[in-house]
Amino acid sequence: MSLLPKALLVVAAFGLAACNNPDRFGAGGAGGAGGAGGGMGGGFVDTTGLGDPNDPRSIAYFNQRVGDRVLFPVDQHTLTEEGRQTLSGQAQWLMTNSSYAVIIEGHADEQGTREYNLSLGARRAASVQNYLISQGVPANRMRTVSYGKERPIEVCSSEACYAQNRRAVTVLSMGAGM
C-alpha cells in the first residue's frame, strides 16, 4: 500500500474520532454528574426526541404511561373493554395537551389478503377515531391511515405474534391543525 492511501485512512479515522460528542451523556461524560445514570442532580437526557417519560406533557409519557395502542381480536374492528380504557386515557391526555394532532394507524396480522387487511386496518383506525371523537377530541386534530399487514411488529406464524399485529396506534405530532 502506498503512502497516499495510508495517509487518507489516518485522516479519515481522525475525522470520525472528531465527530464524537463527549457531552452526549451530560456533564462529565458517561456516568457523570449530569448524565442519565449520573449521581447528584442527574437529569433526564432525551436522546429520542420524545421527551421525558416522567413529564406528563411529553410524547414519551403518552406512549409509555397512557398507552399509544389498542389491540383487536381476530377479524374484528370492535373495541375491547381494555381498548376503551386506553382510549379514554388518550382522550383525556389529548384534551389536556391540545397542541398535539394525531394520526391513527390501523394494522392487521399477516393472515388474509392485502386488500382485506388494508380494509380491516382502516376500520380499526376509524373505530379508534370515532371513540376519541365521542370523548370530546376534535375531529380536525385527527386523521387515519391503514397499513394493513405491511408494518408488522412481530413476524412469525404463531398467535402471539399475530395478536401484537392486530392493533391501532395513535401517533402524536405537533400542531393541532392537520
Side-chain angles (χ1 to χ4, degrees):
M1 189 180 245
S2 71
L3 186 59
L4 182 61
K6 288 180 184 176
L8 288 175
L9 284 174
V10 170
V11 169
F14 283 126
L16 287 174
C19 292
N20 188 13
N21 180 0
D23 290 329
R24 72 181 176 275
F25 296 109
M40 304 199 16
F44 173 77
V45 177
D46 181 15
T47 59
T48 64
L50 301 177
D52 183 349
N54 296 315
D55 177 1
R57 299 171 313 244
S58 74
I59 293 174
Y61 182 92
F62 178 85
N63 292 349
Q64 295 175 23
R65 304 279 172 88
V66 176
D68 66 344
R69 67 197 58 211
V70 294
L71 301 177
F72 293 86
V74 177
D75 294 328
Q76 300 275 326
H77 64 275
T78 314
L79 295 168
T80 63
E81 181 57 36
E82 183 178 348
R84 284 191 293 276
Q85 289 176 1
T86 298
L87 292 174
S88 292
Q90 286 185 12
Q92 183 179 12
W93 191 92
L94 288 166
M95 296 298 287
T96 303
N97 297 279
S98 59
S99 62
Y100 288 97
V102 299
I103 300 170
I104 302 162
E105 300 177 346
H107 299 270
D109 63 34
E110 65 187 60
Q111 303 173 94
T113 66
R114 181 178 186 276
E115 293 77 18
Y116 174 78
N117 284 319
L118 281 170
S119 175
L120 181 58
R123 291 192 306 273
R124 288 175 173 165
S127 292
V128 168
Q129 182 181 34
N130 291 336
Y131 188 86
L132 291 173
I133 290 170
S134 77
Q135 299 297 300
V137 179
N140 68 347
R141 289 178 58 194
M142 297 181 274
R143 70 179 179 93
T144 63
V145 62
S146 176
Y147 292 111
K149 61 182 180 178
E150 303 303 318
R151 293 189 177 184
I153 291 176
E154 298 286 339
V155 178
C156 68
S157 298
S158 72
E159 177 55 30
C161 290
Y162 293 148
Q164 293 301 305
N165 292 328
R166 295 189 293 261
R167 69 196 190 281
V169 181
T170 304
V171 180
L172 299 175
S173 63
M174 289 302 288
M178 293 192 73

